[in-house]
Amino acid sequence: MKLFSLKILASDRVFYEGKCKMIIVPAMDGQLGIMANHGDLVAALDVGEIRIQKEDDTWERALIGTGIMQDINNRVTILTEFAEHPEEIDVKRASEARERAEEQLRQKQSIQEYHQSKAALARAIARLKESGREHPTGY
């Protein structure tokens, strides 16, 4: 299997940089798989799990936030608000964030506040799922 370059830039660090065989990302309209020689592409990404198949055929999992991915000439660049390995996730903090977001959604809010609360809830749920605390059915 051929390789391509992958660089994941979170808002606070270079999360990943190296060669890989395949990635599966959470695009806005579903999961998207990328392999070497994929056609040029720009895609919006949603909060969720990214899976990276490394050169040695092992898979690395991580959680990424919303962002954008560009694939040009076998070079994939992902810009995201955050990226975390499962072991980096603070489960207690994610649980508290989920509770806060759910409480805020029960309150009367402006449209902007509502969307911010929904985004916070999505991040918290994704963190809990990725940490192994909460997995969707069939995973």
Side-chain angles (χ1 to χ4, degrees):
M1 206 183 249
K2 293 185 178 185
L3 301 173
F4 64 94
S5 287
L6 173 63
K7 189 171 194 175
I8 301 174
L9 302 168
S11 61
D12 61 342
R13 63 183 166 160
V14 175
F15 180 76
Y16 184 93
E17 188 167 16
K19 298 280 187 186
C20 61
K21 292 183 176 182
M22 180 178 186
I23 59 169
I24 300 170
V25 296
M28 287 292 184
D29 55 353
Q31 291 190 344
L32 176 63
I34 304 289
M35 296 173 71
N37 300 318
H38 190 283
D40 292 351
L41 164 76
V42 173
L45 302 179
D46 203 358
V47 174
E49 181 183 66
I50 181 171
R51 289 172 283 179
I52 304 164
Q53 185 180 18
K54 296 180 172 185
E55 292 180 75
D56 62 1
D57 287 327
T58 60
W59 286 87
E60 182 174 329
R61 293 177 28 222
L63 178 67
I64 62 171
T66 57
I68 190 162
M69 177 184 75
Q70 174 184 313
D71 178 4
I72 297 178
N73 297 327
N74 279 329
R75 286 189 307 265
V76 175
T77 304
I78 294 175
L79 303 173
T80 182
E81 61 180 330
F82 68 87
E84 300 170 325
H85 293 286
E87 60 274 10
E88 296 174 324
I89 296 170
D90 183 341
V91 175
K92 182 179 181 212
R93 187 171 156 227
S95 292
E96 290 169 355
R98 178 182 182 174
E99 290 171 14
R100 272 193 313 275
E102 288 173 339
E103 179 59 34
Q104 289 170 343
L105 286 171
R106 287 191 280 274
Q107 307 298 319
K108 187 171 179 145
Q109 300 179 319
S110 70
I111 297 223
Q112 180 180 358
E113 290 169 329
Y114 170 79
H115 288 293
Q116 289 173 339
S117 296
K118 289 288 279 187
L121 180 60
R123 284 191 301 274
I125 289 171
R127 282 186 170 114
L128 290 170
K129 285 179 182 176
E130 191 63 28
S131 70
R133 179 80 175 254
E134 214 175 88
H135 280 288
T137 305
Y139 182 71

